[in-house]
């Protein structure tokens, strides 16, 4: 059993009841579950067309959406941070004493073998246990 479990979530994929259920089953008595959304900054030339207020408003909307989607899960702490998905998940886990990451994954395609999905990067580089839930297709 684990005392601090991180469940990364992409808001565009919704809140996975499967990964939260797995985390809850793996959580020791008194353990903590953190739902983490990594908010990526606009890339490339797009950022040249957005002012700071627009970017901040997008971050605030994402925070509100995460909190709203987790309102039915009172035992889960919502956290939103800025960064690159896989690297930020790994860094957050390392700096916050996470002892297990429960992450969802899709069936890998050919591009995943060359580029690596977020889940595969987390599995390769995390310094703690990682449980991957493969969604059925």
């Amino acid at each position: 059993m684990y005392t601090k479990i991180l469940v990364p979530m992409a808001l565009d994929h919704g809140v996975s009841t499967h990964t939260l259920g797995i985390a809850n089953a793996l959580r020791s008595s008194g353990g903590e579950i953190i739902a983490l959304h990594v908010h990526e900054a606009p890339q490339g030339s797009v950022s040249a067309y957005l002012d700071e207020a627009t970017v901040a408003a997008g971050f605030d909307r994402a925070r509100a959406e995460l909190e709203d989607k987790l309102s039915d899960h009172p035992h889960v702490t919502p956290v939103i941070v800025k960064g690159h998905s896989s690297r930020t998940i790994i860094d957050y886990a390392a700096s916050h004493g996470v002892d297990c990451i429960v992450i969802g994954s899709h069936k890998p395609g050919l591009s995943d073998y060359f580029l690596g999905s977020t889940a595969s990067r987390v599995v390769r580089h995390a310094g703690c246990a990682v449980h991957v839930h493969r969604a059925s297709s």
Side-chain angles (χ1 to χ4, degrees), residues 12-33:
D12 56 339
H13 295 169
V15 171
S16 173
T17 55
H18 296 293
T19 54
L20 288 174
I22 292 165
N24 199 41
L26 294 173
R27 179 174 57 103
S28 64
S29 178
E32 177 182 9
I33 298 174

Side-chain angles (χ1 to χ4, degrees), residues 3 27 31 37 39 50 69 72 76 78 86 98 108 121 126:
T3 57
R27 179 174 57 103
H37 173 69
H39 187 80
L50 300 173
K69 288 185 176 198
D72 293 339
V76 178
S86 58
V98 169
R121 289 179 186 161

Side-chain angles (χ1 to χ4, degrees), residues 10-94:
L11 292 177
D12 56 339
H13 295 169
V15 171
S16 173
T17 55
H18 296 293
T19 54
L20 288 174
I22 292 165
N24 199 41
L26 294 173
R27 179 174 57 103
S28 64
S29 178
E32 177 182 9
I33 298 174
I34 301 164
L36 178 73
H37 173 69
V38 179
H39 187 80
E40 293 195 38
Q43 298 298 313
S45 61
V46 172
S47 61
Y49 296 100
L50 300 173
D51 61 22
E52 287 182 33
T54 302
V55 174
F59 184 82
D60 291 342
R61 277 193 306 277
R63 180 192 318 272
E65 185 177 345
L66 178 65
E67 290 171 355
D68 182 55
K69 288 185 176 198
L70 290 169
S71 63
D72 293 339
H73 303 276
H75 61 282
V76 178
T77 303
V79 173
I80 184 169
V81 294
K82 296 177 184 179
H84 177 269
S85 296
S86 58
R87 182 79 257 155
T88 303
I89 292 166
I90 294 162
D91 290 346
Y92 185 93

